[in-house]
Amino acid sequence: MDAREEKLLAFFHDSQPDISLADVDLARLPSHISIIMDGNGRWAKQRGLDRSQGHVAGVDSLRETITACVRLGVDVLSAYAFSTENWKRPQREVDLLMDLFAKTLVAELPLFHQEHVRLELWGDLSALPAKTYATFCRGLDETAEYSTMTLALAVNYGSRAEIVRASRHLAREVARGHLEPGDITEELFASHLYTADVPDPELLIRTSGELRLSNYLLWQLAYSEFYVTDTLWPDFDRWELLRAIRAYQSRERRFGGVGRG
Ligand code: IPE
Ligand code: IPE
Ligand code: MG
């Protein structure tokens, strides 16, 4: 057994009644798993806590999920952390979240270095508070060369804004005479999205039971398998991740073709 396998078995050592590492096929893992991390507020409310404490607790779930994905050998983990619509929340909550992003990234950078995780950020970072922006830049800088796994965080991300932005880039190229409208293919369009460097997610997980996309990856999720769990994000753990992967592996992906019968 090599060191990598040993670490994997140790991480998933204490199995649950309904799931263990043996229930997933390690040879057929999704290479990109994406998560809409939802339910922090409800988790806090259930405990009589402030919503902010739900967000703080959610950080632990993200750390556990990052480690689980590294151990499994997933290539890309992406997570929706703040939408273009989340600015509508009370200023206090927005401030807390922006502060939490900066603090968490600084605190977790050693994990990125230890596991060789590359950070990627999707969204309009120019609108973020200076401290959050600076911390994100530092994270991008320090991890740019790593290739064990990519962690992409969608922050001030909205899929419609992303598509409009890509359209503007291409329109500008056409206006300058560098591109013909007929040159615009699906591949070229995709290369102008924030997600240009990563394959489309094979698996999308949404926690806390909501059956909607909330303006997340509208283009990229065209053929992804969805897994929605009632588990609130702060309660999400390595076993929930395995359940999602098991469900994904039980599906038949057709991509518009015919089934296996
Ligand atoms: C997800 O949890 C975190 C963010 C959107 C930043 P919520 O804050 O949306 O939690 P609920 O949906 O209100 O429970
Ligand atoms: C989606 O969750 C955004 C993030 C998880 C960052 P929301 O809680 O904002 O979505 P809605 O409002 O329930 O659609
Ligand atoms: Mg929510």
Side-chain angles (χ1 to χ4, degrees), residues 35-42 51 79-86 88-89 97 101 154-157 206-208 210 212-216 233:
I35 306 184
I36 301 177
M37 308 182 287
D38 199 14
N40 295 351
R42 276 162 278 180
R51 291 178 60 83
Y80 204 5
F82 193 89
S83 75
T84 46
E85 288 72 34
N86 287 149
K88 289 187 238 164
R89 294 186 178 206
L97 280 167
F101 293 151
V155 182
N156 192 22
Y157 173 88
R206 181 160 187 156
T207 58
S208 80
E210 243 57 76
R212 55 177 172 258
L213 285 177
S214 304
N215 202 11
Y216 189 54
W233 177 247

Side-chain angles (χ1 to χ4, degrees), residues 1-251:
M1 195 191 302
D2 63 19
R4 208 187 137 246
E5 217 176 323
E6 234 168 76
K7 281 187 183 172
L8 172 66
L9 293 180
F11 189 78
F12 288 101
H13 175 66
D14 55 339
S15 62
Q16 300 289 296
D18 67 311
I19 187 118
S20 75
L21 185 61
D23 293 316
V24 304
D25 179 351
L26 296 173
R28 287 194 306 124
L29 290 173
S31 70
H32 180 177
I33 299 177
S34 196
I35 306 184
I36 301 177
M37 308 182 287
D38 199 14
N40 295 351
R42 276 162 278 180
W43 183 90
K45 195 170 174 209
Q46 281 177 1
R47 286 162 179 74
L49 303 169
D50 188 73
R51 291 178 60 83
S52 63
Q53 285 168 280
H55 298 314
V56 171
V59 172
D60 293 334
S61 299
L62 183 57
R63 186 190 310 106
E64 173 150 339
T65 307
I66 292 170
T67 310
C69 286
V70 170
R71 293 285 167 269
L72 287 165
V74 170
D75 296 323
V76 183
L77 170 67
S78 55
Y80 204 5
F82 193 89
S83 75
T84 46
E85 288 72 34
N86 287 149
W87 297 107
K88 289 187 238 164
R89 294 186 178 206
Q91 191 61 42
R92 202 178 141 267
E93 182 174 349
V94 170
D95 291 346
L96 176 285
L97 280 167
M98 292 299 152
D99 199 45
L100 187 63
F101 293 151
K103 280 201 185 118
T104 302
L105 189 59
V106 171
E108 302 300 334
L109 264 177
L111 175 68
F112 284 72
H113 287 300
Q114 185 191 314
E115 303 293 350
H116 290 191
V117 173
R118 184 176 73 96
L119 177 69
E120 210 175 87
L121 291 160
W122 301 341
D124 178 9
L125 304 184
S126 71
L128 303 181
K131 191 176 135 211
T132 308
Y133 179 78
T135 313
F136 279 164
C137 290
R138 182 180 151 202
L140 292 173
D141 245 35
E142 287 191 22
T143 67
E145 302 302 320
Y146 293 147
S147 58
T148 296
M149 186 178 84
T150 296
L151 172 72
L153 290 179
V155 182
N156 192 22
Y157 173 88
S159 192
R160 288 183 171 181
E162 177 188 39
I163 289 169
V164 168
R165 174 178 169 273
S167 308
R168 284 190 185 141
H169 286 174
L170 291 165
R172 220 173 281 135
E173 292 296 294
V174 171
R176 285 181 184 146
H178 295 164
L179 195 68
E180 290 293 323
D183 295 337
I184 301 173
T185 59
E186 291 184 12
E187 288 72 26
L188 184 68
F189 194 87
S191 75
H192 286 266
L193 299 173
Y194 291 119
T195 49
D197 292 340
V198 301
D200 290 342
E202 290 98 333
L203 170 61
L204 173 80
I205 299 170
R206 181 160 187 156
T207 58
S208 80
E210 243 57 76
L211 299 174
R212 55 177 172 258
L213 285 177
S214 304
N215 202 11
Y216 189 54
L217 302 183
L218 302 181
W219 171 282
Q220 299 86 341
L221 294 173
Y223 270 106
S224 309
E225 296 294 328
F226 288 10
Y227 178 84
V228 177
T229 170
D230 286 335
T231 300
L232 305 173
W233 177 247
D235 290 326
F236 191 89
D237 61 9
R238 62 195 81 182
W239 308 109
E240 270 295 323
L241 180 72
L242 287 189
R243 289 183 193 104
I245 294 173
R246 177 177 60 187
Y248 162 80
Q249 290 181 336
S250 74
R251 310 262 182 93

